[in-house]
Amino acid sequence: MAPEKLTEYERRRIENIKRNEEMLAALKIQSRVSELSAVTKRPRAQSKSYQASPQKKQKSKSPVVLRRSLRTKGIPPDSSTAGGIKDDSDDLPDRIAPNKYSQPAPKKSPREPIPISMRDAYSGDFDVSNQRLIETIKDFSHKIDDGDDRIEKRKASGTVHLESLRLEPDNIARVVPGRILNVRFFPTNNVRMVAVGNKFGNIGFWNVDAPQEDGDGIYLYHPHSGPVSGIVMDPFSASKMFTSCYDGFIRVMDIEKEMFDLAYLSEHPIFSISQWPHDMNSIYYGEGSGELGICDLRAGKSSVSWKLHEERINTIDFTSENCNIMATSSTDGSACIWDLRKVSAHKPKSLQTVRHKRAVHSAYFSPSGRFLATTSIDNTVGLLSGANYEDTSMVSHFNHTNRWISSFRGIWGWDDSYIYIGNMQRGVDVISVADKKLDFTLRSEHMTAIPCRFDAHQDKVGMLAGATSGGQVYIWTAS
DNA sequence: ATTGTCATTACTCAA
DNA sequence: TTGAGTCCATGACAAT
């Protein structure tokens, strides 16, 4: 890096620290004030929320534009960002000058097909906050690497007592602005941390156990330019997190490099991602109208693209038992189970197919792999079982969400007994596999919005994260 | 068979 | 408290 850049960097850093201290002081005052006025019976403003800095908050609220739309409409990329996509040949990452992102200009458009440093993607003014998050993740990822905090891949273990699940007021936060499409726990036991992706391309982190002096533990980044369609935590390397976006990008947050690196760039919108359990260097993703691609992370290239569905693939899932078995759900109204050894490019034939009357928004294997749960907006939750998933039963559940609520997706808990899914009455419905019906509903006066996307902590039985279309995250815990 | 447009309606934020 | 603004999801149906 050029010396002048270094001095520029230093100068900026000092400025940042100074402003940071001022802001922290202001925040302390603010939190005192909110403590005083926190007696309101229906707290509209939650105690915890992301702090968008005044200057940088969504300047120009850059409209969510897919790359496709850009090209078809012939709109040139934002002229303030050099190296925008002009044509297809520019999309290749290896043709991009390596140091374009290091300009001291405020924030780069995440549309550029280049790596983005976490510092540049950070949506606050204060680099110390960014550094604090990086240190936190480094800290627990090293512990995981050393085996101190390793969580084995999710197993069928732990029966949860639904009546004991609670939503504590402290476990609620507004993590990002706008609609959350994805929430995921970090695979660690010592620190409770979630990452969420929203419609604007933000990735927000919430360290629930952040020390008091570290503020609210919420960190906001902007590594993508469109809706974040998927988040994958590498279970064996907590310093890596993959995110996909409608704009065709798959990025990997590399905490050692402190970057949102470019893993893959597709011509088509990417609607889903998953990691192949057998080989951590393979990312499976759903792109365009029903295509499934496999990306080799070392080569940075896609090896295959299979047309598995007629319309977009909403989820991709694997069993922990058999790495060659994969499930996909699609807007074309079907969910399929595939044997990867038998899929060929020309005539993909599924092992099993469930047909719903309408779009299927998820298909997830149970922790043991013996069941598959599908969620469709035809108001059913499908349950597949049997040696070859040949037995299908449909559980009735109202799955219609409106335009502003992300579709419901039934997820599994910590064993094969329950499926958790949102409802329009601000509750979490729990479907019993044994009874094949709705068994229980989690309710809380603190859930002031509809939780539509969920994640179950891989190890802590009863720890369930629900995310809303207003950027909130609720973390239920077993008391 | 593809493309367009319309209605739906929950939440946040600013007054 | 109210009211404006949101706006890439989806299905139904109309138009090409």
Side-chain angles (χ1 to χ4, degrees):
Chain A
M1 202 181 278
E4 54 172 319
K5 289 277 165 64
L6 275 177
T7 55
E8 174 67 10
Y9 168 74
E10 292 294 342
R11 200 170 57 75
R12 241 185 92 198
R13 206 171 120 81
I14 289 162
E15 277 174 13
N16 273 344
I17 291 169
K18 208 167 71 182
R19 274 181 301 176
N20 204 354
E21 282 165 356
E22 286 166 8
M23 183 60 141
L24 281 178
L27 281 179
K28 271 183 186 154
I29 294 165
Q30 197 189 339
S31 68
R32 294 267 161 75
V33 170
S34 58
E35 271 171 26
L36 285 174
S37 62
V39 202
T40 50
K41 55 176 178 177
R42 210 138 310 192
R44 286 171 54 105
Q46 266 66 23
S47 52
K48 292 176 181 173
S49 81
Y50 66 93
Q51 300 292 335
S53 65
Q55 297 113 327
K56 300 215 170 132
K57 94 160 98 164
Q58 312 244 338
K59 64 164 158 192
S60 82
K61 201 180 258 178
S62 55
V64 178
V65 183
L66 296 184
R67 286 177 356 95
R68 274 235 296 233
S69 311
L70 261 186
R71 204 176 298 141
T72 49
K73 288 176 185 168
I75 299 169
D78 186 349
S79 56
S80 70
T81 59
I85 296 163
K86 293 189 204 82
D87 56 39
D88 291 341
S89 62
D90 272 355
D91 290 355
L92 296 170
D94 44 338
R95 295 189 42 166
I96 301 302
N99 55 356
K100 272 183 185 167
Y101 62 87
S102 61
Q103 293 169 5
K107 296 291 176 210
K108 322 299 302 168
S109 162
R111 204 177 295 123
E112 295 174 55
I114 52 174
I116 302 175
S117 75
M118 290 182 70
R119 186 165 55 84
D120 285 347
Y122 188 64
S123 294
D125 281 332
F126 312 114
D127 204 39
V128 288
S129 301
N130 172 41
Q131 286 302 322
R132 200 147 55 202
L133 177 77
I134 290 169
E135 291 309 318
T136 305
I137 297 176
K138 273 185 184 170
D139 192 47
F140 68 60
S141 66
H142 291 158
K143 279 181 183 152
I144 288 172
D145 291 344
D146 296 343
D148 293 349
D149 196 18
R150 161 133 322 158
I151 293 175
E152 299 302 324
K153 194 75 180 142
R154 187 189 294 182
K155 293 199 177 101
S157 66
T159 306
V160 68
H161 299 285
L162 298 172
E163 295 81 3
S164 73
L165 293 184
R166 295 281 180 276
L167 176 59
E168 304 294 341
D170 277 352
N171 293 341
I172 298 169
R174 196 175 302 278
V175 182
V176 288
R179 183 159 117 207
I180 294 176
L181 286 87
N182 248 291
V183 56
R184 201 104 330 189
F185 277 107
F186 274 78
T188 169
N189 260 324
N190 294 334
V191 179
R192 291 181 296 168
M193 180 134 89
V194 293
V196 304
N198 74 358
K199 199 186 54 175
F200 305 124
N202 292 113
I203 300 288
F205 299 90
W206 178 25
N207 177 2
V208 186
D209 300 309
Q212 205 79 44
E213 62 270 22
D214 282 6
D216 51 20
I218 291 164
Y219 310 89
L220 184 66
Y221 293 82
H222 195 223
H224 286 289
S225 69
V228 176
S229 52
I231 300 175
V232 166
M233 296 286 175
D234 187 331
F236 297 108
S237 167
S239 60
K240 286 211 169 75
M241 177 186 79
F242 301 92
T243 53
S244 65
C245 181
Y246 283 22
D247 67 6
F249 282 79
I250 296 175
R251 289 193 184 274
V252 52
M253 182 187 75
D254 187 322
I255 209 70
E256 300 298 335
K257 287 155 74 178
E258 303 185 8
M259 300 277 273
F260 289 103
D261 228 332
L262 179 66
Y264 182 68
L265 174 55
S266 168
E267 284 296 299
H268 307 287
I270 293 182
F271 295 114
S272 46
I273 52 168
S274 189
Q275 197 169 26
W276 194 36
H278 192 61
D279 176 6
M280 291 302 134
N281 287 300
S282 286
I283 287 284
Y284 285 55
Y285 58 91
E287 62 173 340
S289 299
E291 270 120 20
L292 181 121
I294 304 174
C295 177
D296 184 325
L297 293 170
R298 284 161 302 196
K301 283 194 186 308
S302 238
S303 51
V304 300
S305 185
W306 296 323
K307 174 87 172 171
L308 298 188
H309 285 278
E310 293 307 309
E311 287 173 71
R312 68 193 231 182
I313 296 174
N314 293 308
T315 60
I316 303 165
D317 195 33
F318 296 94
T319 73
S320 46
E321 297 300 301
N322 185 345
C323 289
N324 293 304
I325 302 297
M326 176 181 78
T328 54
S329 66
S330 167
T331 298
D332 69 8
S334 68
C336 296
I337 297 175
W338 311 88
D339 185 334
L340 291 174
R341 293 160 299 190
K342 293 176 184 166
V343 176
S344 66
H346 294 296
K347 51 172 189 67
K349 180 136 172 46
S350 66
L351 206 67
Q352 202 63 245
T353 296
V354 207
R355 292 230 46 103
H356 280 270
K357 294 188 187 72
R358 303 262 186 272
V360 187
H361 274 272
S362 66
Y364 293 127
F365 286 108
S366 67
S368 78
R370 293 194 296 123
F371 297 94
L372 183 84
T374 62
T375 305
S376 166
I377 55 169
D378 70 358
N379 288 335
T380 57
V381 171
L383 198 52
L384 275 69
S385 57
N388 292 304
Y389 305 100
E390 68 275 13
D391 299 324
T392 304
S393 47
M394 291 290 174
V395 178
S396 192
H397 186 266
F398 187 82
N399 294 331
H400 271 197
T401 55
N402 62 48
R403 177 179 179 176
W404 291 289
I405 309 290
S406 294
S407 56
F408 291 143
R409 295 175 171 180
I411 68 146
W412 293 89
W414 303 268
D415 61 13
D416 283 11
S417 52
Y418 295 119
I419 295 159
Y420 299 81
I421 185 167
N423 73 27
M424 291 299 275
Q425 287 76 46
R426 300 184 183 125
V428 183
D429 285 338
V430 185
I431 291 169
S432 157
V433 171
D435 300 345
K436 293 190 168 52
K437 70 173 180 59
L438 186 71
D439 237 30
F440 197 80
T441 301
L442 302 177
R443 301 176 201 280
S444 165
E445 54 172 339
H446 300 117
M447 281 210 301
T448 55
I450 296 165
C452 48
R453 295 292 162 92
F454 295 91
D455 192 35
H457 193 281
Q458 289 193 6
D459 203 53
K460 293 192 171 182
V461 174
M463 186 171 288
L464 180 74
T468 75
S469 285
Q472 287 164 301
V473 174
Y474 308 117
I475 296 185
W476 289 75
T477 49
S479 57

